Amino acid sequence: MTGTTDTLTAAAALALGDDALVLSHRLGEWAGSAPVLEEEVALANIALDLLGQARVLLSLVGDEDELAYLREERSFRNSQLVEQPNGDFAHTIARQLYFSTYQHLLYGRLATGDGPFAGLAAKAVKEVAYHQDHAEHWTLRLGDGTTESHQRMQRACDALWRYTGELFQPVEGLDLDLPALETAWLDSVTDVLGRATLTVPSGPRTGAWSAGAGRQGLHTESFGRMLAEMQHLHRSHPGATW
Amino acid sequence: MTAVTAGTAGTTGASGASDTAAAAEQAAYEAVFDAAVAADERIEPRDWMPEAYRASLVRQIAQHAHSEIIGMQPEANWITRAPSLRRKAILMAKVQDEAGHGLYLYSAAETLGTSRDELLDKLHSGRQKYSSIFNYPTLTWADVGAIGWLVDGAAITNQVPLCRCSYGPYARAMVRVCKEESFHQRQGYEALLALSRGTEAQHAMAQDAVNRWWWPSLMMFGPPDDESTHTAQAMAWKIKRHSNDELRQRFVDIAVPQAEALGLTLPDPDLRWNEERGHYDFGPIDWTEFWDVLKGNGPCNDQRLSRRRQAHEDGAWVREAAAAYADKHTGKHGEAQA
Ligand SMILES: [Fe+2]
Ligand SMILES: [Fe+2]
């Protein structure tokens, strides 16, 4: 049965690893353009934590660089939420709030078990606690700041809401009580948005496409362009080491 | 140095008698300051210091801080295209360090009574400069390695003596900064070495980058000593410890053997060891290019400054929101206490 277990672990590692890899890349796009110098440091910190997680997870599956640079778009298993373009700072923060809340709950669960991810999750959960704290603080400042920031933050929360359901779809190889995770996530996000004087979005939390979404290798259009940029140099020099 | 504390100097009455008294007091402060500098003691923020010393430090620290944050741009240009995850992590951490250096330095300037906002305004309006080196483009991945090796290398040569600068907060900031810069320098060297020993195309990429970055790196030390306007006074105040030409020579002497170890050549046919001087001789620097880039005609001057201004303008609503939130919540806190 080890073969099957390994395959299942690899499938889960790929999904979680791709989430971390792709979100890290998006956050890396902020370098040099953050609204304040402190945020240059903070966003880079988060991006580096995520990249570290991605490298551990992808290495469970195979060669990290082959996986990051030589797969086609349809083979990536990240959720669509993490690939969404940065947009304005509010969109970046809403994406961080939704994702880090999920990731914190997820790694908290994985860390308590004795599964293949327990070690990684125990370390990552501490990093992610900071990511969540950072997102929460900015959600409060933007939501309860000026009229403009409130409007921008509300728009961002609304726009990304439809990508949050996917996080709680079953992932092959992850044996978790997903409905409980989703309830905890909703409670936490509802609480933060409420304190930020924002309205919990009312729209659907998944798209209508029955074929699936990111976990099935179905991505949004901007993702292909992101990969083109990320993979171009590596692919231009086949077999080279860096 | 803590003997004399600022705050009383210069606050005098209008009458002739107190003018004379004030002049005597001023002279006494200056004597204490001069003695402290001569004795290699550190001047601290609360100490009395001549206005020209303060202004000169603010100008230098501001330019240094601006260089750190503008310098993020050419390297951030390659974060999204870094060719391996390991290199990507190293580069992201490096660009993050440069933001951190900007933070330390703006804080050091704040101890002299000049706020970060004020300095950023001066950067954005072109009234203060940043190092001209960042007005050159990063055209290939190898440029990231060349910047680490040469630009961070030149920065270290410039900055190590600043760790002994007479102004305490600047000197202490430099100790932290230099540690990180030497990391950057080693990582850049190592990235270039991998390219130089890699495929033919990678080697060519590394050589091309070194060809483009070598001369601008030598220009980082500033104009030759006989044309440098600030050097003499800065050296008397022990803000600066070595002349531009001395530091440039020191850098060349370190870089030449490193280039050999890298298996790359430096684009200067006149470069050779001079037994008599105990230094490498090098060819003439194109100072026309230096002054031209400084005046704004470099390949990226407009781009770097526009990008910086854009980021600042795009972030205005975020900073306003943070300020409004802080106001509301300290307000609430105040009411609760009342
Ligand atoms: Fe730096
Ligand atoms: Fe550096």
Side-chain angles (χ1 to χ4, degrees):
Chain A
M1 284 301 282
T2 40
T4 316
T5 311
D6 286 352
T7 313
L8 287 174
T9 303
L14 208 54
L16 303 185
D18 284 349
D19 274 351
L21 178 73
V22 170
L23 186 55
S24 164
H25 185 93
R26 284 298 192 202
L27 291 172
E29 293 173 354
W30 271 103
S33 297
V36 281
L37 206 39
E38 285 79 358
E39 283 307 296
E40 293 284 358
V41 177
L43 295 174
N45 238 331
I46 298 168
L48 280 164
D49 286 343
L50 290 167
L51 184 53
Q53 293 166 14
R55 294 180 67 190
V56 173
L57 286 159
L58 294 181
S59 297
L60 293 174
V61 183
D63 179 83
E64 59 176 29
D65 287 335
E66 267 176 43
L67 287 164
Y69 293 100
L70 299 176
R71 268 183 300 159
E72 298 292 323
E73 178 177 337
R74 291 282 280 107
S75 306
F76 276 81
R77 288 292 177 265
N78 56 284
S79 61
Q80 290 184 351
L81 175 66
V82 295
E83 75 200 33
Q84 293 312 302
N86 288 337
D88 65 3
F89 190 68
H91 278 77
T92 290
I93 291 302
R95 192 181 60 197
Q96 283 307 112
L97 179 73
Y98 292 164
F99 185 74
S100 63
T101 303
Y102 155 75
Q103 214 192 11
H104 190 240
L105 290 164
L106 174 74
Y107 284 163
R109 299 280 199 284
L110 293 174
T112 57
D114 55 0
F117 303 114
L120 161 92
K123 177 172 181 281
V125 75
K126 292 178 200 141
E127 298 168 350
V128 177
Y130 162 73
H131 306 175
Q132 193 185 3
D133 196 54
H134 172 265
E136 181 179 323
H137 275 99
W138 274 110
T139 302
L140 294 174
R141 288 188 198 109
L142 299 182
D144 193 16
T146 63
T147 311
E148 182 184 4
S149 72
H150 179 87
Q151 284 168 351
R152 283 179 183 260
M153 193 62 202
Q154 188 64 59
R155 266 203 300 275
C157 289
D158 293 348
L160 294 169
W161 192 243
R162 64 190 301 265
Y163 300 106
T164 58
E166 188 190 0
L167 301 173
F168 306 98
Q169 304 288 324
V171 172
E172 216 189 341
L174 274 191
D175 186 19
L176 286 165
D177 181 356
L178 289 164
L181 206 67
E182 186 161 20
T183 305
W185 182 89
L186 266 173
D187 287 348
S188 173
V189 168
T190 302
D191 169 61
V192 175
L193 296 183
R195 282 188 286 129
T197 73
L198 294 161
T199 310
V200 177
S202 53
R205 291 189 38 239
T206 46
W209 200 8
S210 55
R215 299 281 190 234
Q216 288 74 43
L218 294 166
H219 296 280
T220 47
E221 286 185 347
S222 67
F223 186 55
R225 225 167 267 114
M226 190 204 104
L227 284 187
E229 183 173 338
M230 181 173 105
Q231 296 182 335
H232 157 261
L233 177 60
H234 184 97
R235 283 179 182 255
S236 300
H237 298 262
T241 49
W242 301 92
Chain B
M1 176 190 138
T2 48
V4 182
T5 304
T8 50
T11 57
T12 56
S15 79
S18 59
D19 275 356
T20 319
E25 197 184 16
Q26 174 89 6
Y29 283 132
E30 262 185 59
V32 174
F33 172 85
D34 289 345
V37 170
D40 268 335
E41 284 171 31
R42 288 283 157 79
I43 309 299
E44 295 299 335
R46 289 169 53 81
D47 294 337
W48 183 91
M49 62 188 84
E51 274 317 302
Y53 174 84
R54 185 186 299 273
S56 174
L57 271 172
V58 169
R59 185 186 59 79
Q60 182 172 336
I61 296 173
Q63 175 163 338
H64 192 166
H66 300 332
S67 302
E68 299 286 354
I69 64 166
I70 296 279
M72 295 170 70
Q73 288 184 35
E75 297 197 85
N77 185 35
W78 282 93
I79 287 178
T80 53
R81 292 177 287 171
S84 74
L85 297 185
R86 177 172 162 262
R87 293 286 175 205
K88 189 175 186 167
I90 290 172
L91 182 57
M92 278 209 271
K94 186 191 174 189
V95 174
Q96 182 191 37
D97 283 348
E98 307 304 2
H101 298 171
L103 281 175
Y104 311 153
L105 286 161
Y106 286 118
S107 303
E110 262 164 22
T111 66
L112 293 160
T114 314
S115 73
R116 193 203 302 180
D117 284 347
E118 207 178 322
L119 295 179
L120 284 175
D121 276 351
K122 287 188 175 157
L123 170 66
H124 297 152
S125 61
R127 281 173 294 155
Q128 281 181 342
K129 302 245 175 258
Y130 53 88
S131 176
S132 263
I133 192 77
F134 300 119
N135 289 319
Y136 291 85
T138 46
L139 300 179
T140 73
W141 167 251
D143 290 35
V144 169
I147 288 185
W149 175 45
L150 294 172
V151 175
D152 287 83
I156 295 165
T157 309
N158 258 329
Q159 290 167 19
V160 163
L162 290 175
C163 298
R164 294 186 298 126
C165 157
S166 59
Y167 187 59
Y170 191 30
R172 288 188 288 274
M174 280 304 104
V175 173
R176 277 177 86 173
V177 168
C178 282
K179 266 187 211 151
E180 292 176 355
E181 301 298 10
S182 52
F183 249 145
H184 301 166
Q185 197 264 354
R186 262 177 286 162
Q187 286 163 340
Y189 179 89
E190 200 251 322
L192 273 186
L193 190 64
L195 293 176
S196 180
R197 292 182 177 169
T199 65
E200 216 173 297
Q202 286 176 305
H203 181 88
M205 194 193 280
Q207 185 61 61
D208 169 59
V210 168
N211 291 348
R212 283 181 288 108
W213 287 95
W214 173 250
W215 289 108
S217 300
L218 294 192
M219 295 176 196
M220 282 176 71
F221 297 92
D225 293 346
D226 48 11
E227 287 172 43
S228 174
T229 43
H230 300 295
T231 297
Q233 181 61 79
M235 285 178 72
W237 278 331
K238 294 189 182 168
I239 294 174
K240 209 175 152 105
R241 299 256 176 186
H242 307 279
S243 77
N244 295 352
D245 287 332
E246 271 172 60
L247 291 168
R248 188 167 12 247
Q249 181 70 60
R250 188 177 292 181
F251 174 70
V252 171
D253 290 346
I254 294 169
V256 174
Q258 289 178 342
E260 279 164 19
L262 280 170
L264 298 170
T265 58
L266 296 171
D268 179 358
D270 297 328
L271 201 60
R272 63 180 59 83
W273 179 251
N274 182 327
E275 194 65 58
E276 216 169 293
R277 293 202 308 124
H279 291 293
Y280 283 92
D281 288 338
F282 53 96
I285 293 171
D286 181 358
W287 292 110
T288 315
E289 176 177 318
F290 173 79
W291 292 113
D292 219 17
V293 175
L294 195 72
K295 267 182 256 159
N297 199 23
C300 300
N301 298 55
D302 288 345
Q303 180 188 328
R304 300 285 184 246
L305 207 52
S306 313
R307 168 90 185 275
R308 180 88 267 292
R309 284 198 201 109
Q310 190 68 52
H312 193 73
E313 281 164 28
D314 289 349
W317 70 270
V318 177
R319 295 189 300 275
E320 281 157 22
Y325 179 83
D327 273 357
K328 278 186 210 176
H329 290 270
T330 45
K332 271 181 199 162
H333 186 66
E335 277 164 37
Q337 278 182 331

